[in-house]
Amino acid sequence: MYKIQYLIFKIFRYILLLFPEKTRFKFAERLGILGYYLIKKRRLIALANLKLAFPDKTYKERKKIAKESYKIMAKAFISTLWFEDYLKTNVELEDFNRVSSVKEDGNGIVVALIHMGNMEATLKAGEKYKSVTVAKAQRNPYIDNFITEARRKLNVILLKKSKQTSRELLEQIEEKNVIALFSDHRDKGATVNFFGEETVSPTGAINIALKHNLPIVIGYNVMHENNTCTTYFTKELELIRTNSFKNDVKVNTQLMMNIIENIIKNHPNQWMWFHDRWKLYKKIKNENIKG
């Protein structure tokens, strides 16, 4: 079954690449809108999240943001099928000196990533410096291998979540590589306030920065109407350090989430809104979210 799935995937990729890039992205936009309407659960989650984040916006305005987000996420996914070529001419790195200046001194650095825009295009930074990130392994081992090899060509080491992940990360930290971890979605970690609502946020990036005394910046991507994109890097976070490591992790995770919240507010259509960030689905699936 996995081999059949992979064969279908390869055929789809082959046919898609026969078309000009602009046509591929048009297809992706339609795919995104189709997903918005067909997958009711994710649509409800996206609209509920937007209502929580932007209560002053009208339902019509939130719906427009949700649709734009779906289209951007679909285009980001589709572009990974010809990622090497896409990255050559379509990605700008803004304020990358905030990473390169640290690396030129031979030191390690942590980059907290956000699920925004063509999010994986941020990995273009890994072409010059070896970067390490963590992701769940795909169920299909052939597709998983395709993704892993594609990232390896970009000088990115893709660690799969497992019991060995912490040890593997430690080895990469000791090698002073760039540690790039997505830090905006719900996961085990610290309780924080995000868009005025209590939720849980991953602490991996902050934990590593504090424990190993590494600088940390936030990296995020914005995709433009012409399908190019820009990756931005914030200034180094000024971490608070006291005698309580556990409290420092919580306080600095909140600090990071405050910055991420402001970034999302500036580019609301770029964020992945259909992730159940605040665990709202059980509350809203039978409610009217137009208000």
Side-chain angles (χ1 to χ4, degrees):
M1 181 59 70
Y2 286 142
K3 286 184 178 180
I4 293 173
Q5 290 174 352
Y6 184 59
L7 179 61
I8 294 171
F9 167 77
K10 293 286 283 185
I11 292 171
F12 170 75
R13 179 175 180 268
Y14 174 79
I15 294 173
L16 185 69
L17 296 187
L18 293 176
F19 293 92
E21 187 173 73
K22 188 175 181 179
T23 304
R24 300 173 211 164
F25 281 121
K26 282 291 183 183
F27 169 75
E29 287 185 356
R30 290 182 173 86
L31 194 65
I33 293 300
L34 186 64
Y36 173 83
Y37 283 108
L38 286 183
I39 308 174
K40 181 180 178 180
K41 177 180 177 179
R42 292 297 166 184
R43 181 175 74 251
L44 291 177
I45 289 170
L47 293 172
N49 286 343
L50 281 160
K51 184 178 179 180
L52 182 150
F54 301 105
D56 294 334
K57 291 187 181 296
T58 65
Y59 172 73
K60 185 177 180 180
E61 289 173 325
R62 296 193 295 265
K63 184 177 178 181
K64 182 179 179 181
I65 292 172
K67 286 184 175 181
E68 287 298 316
S69 173
Y70 265 77
K71 289 195 288 186
I72 288 171
M73 291 300 114
K75 291 196 290 185
F77 167 74
I78 285 290
S79 70
T80 62
L81 299 181
W82 68 95
F83 217 33
E84 283 185 84
D85 292 333
Y86 177 83
L87 294 182
K88 288 176 183 177
T89 57
N90 293 299
V91 185
E92 293 285 338
L93 297 178
E94 191 76 19
D95 297 319
F96 185 55
N97 61 298
R98 290 167 177 164
V99 175
S100 60
S101 60
V102 173
K103 291 304 298 171
E104 292 301 327
D105 290 336
N107 299 313
I109 187 171
V110 180
V111 180
L113 302 176
I114 309 178
H115 290 83
M116 282 185 67
N118 197 340
M119 62 197 81
E120 290 200 68
T122 306
L123 299 177
K124 181 177 175 65
E127 290 180 319
K128 187 172 183 181
Y129 307 110
K130 186 173 288 186
S131 300
V132 182
T133 191
V134 178
K136 289 182 179 179
Q138 299 294 314
R139 290 183 181 179
N140 189 313
Y142 301 100
I143 294 177
D144 187 69
N145 184 63
F146 174 86
I147 294 171
T148 301
E149 285 301 305
R151 302 304 173 268
R152 185 183 60 79
K153 292 176 182 177
L154 296 171
N155 206 19
V156 175
I157 298 172
L158 184 58
L159 300 180
K160 307 300 169 60
K161 284 187 177 181
S162 69
K163 294 180 180 179
Q164 288 76 42
T165 303
S166 296
R167 177 181 56 79
E168 292 171 337
L169 265 176
L170 182 58
E171 292 174 359
Q172 299 300 327
I173 293 167
E174 291 174 348
E175 291 290 327
K176 297 184 178 180
N177 292 326
V178 177
I179 307 300
L181 302 176
F182 281 99
S183 303
D184 57 322
H185 274 192
R186 187 183 181 95
D187 203 347
K188 295 178 182 178
T191 299
V192 297
N193 185 287
F194 189 44
F195 281 97
E197 186 76 13
E198 191 174 272
T199 185
V200 179
S201 286
T203 57
I206 292 294
N207 197 307
I208 291 171
L210 286 170
K211 186 176 292 184
H212 300 278
N213 197 30
L214 294 174
I216 178 172
V217 299
I218 296 173
Y220 63 99
N221 187 273
V222 172
M223 197 163 192
H224 309 301
E225 288 187 11
N226 64 356
N227 301 317
T228 64
C229 62
T230 304
T231 292
Y232 298 89
F233 295 91
T234 67
K235 294 179 181 178
E236 181 182 337
L237 275 62
E238 297 182 6
L239 299 182
I240 297 169
R241 289 180 169 87
T242 67
N243 292 327
S244 172
F245 182 80
K246 183 177 180 180
N247 187 64
D248 289 351
V249 170
K250 180 178 175 63
V251 168
N252 286 296
T253 300
Q254 180 66 70
L255 171 68
M256 178 181 69
M257 294 309 297
N258 291 343
I259 298 171
I260 289 175
E261 180 178 322
N262 285 330
I263 291 170
I264 294 170
K265 285 179 177 178
N266 288 330
H267 307 281
N269 65 323
Q270 300 283 330
W271 199 52
M272 186 187 287
W273 288 102
F274 52 79
H275 172 70
D276 200 359
R277 187 65 181 79
W278 292 273
K279 292 294 181 183
L280 295 177
Y281 182 65
K282 289 183 179 180
K283 301 177 184 178
I284 54 88
K285 60 181 178 180
N286 296 318
E287 294 179 5
N288 184 349
I289 58 174
K290 291 186 178 182

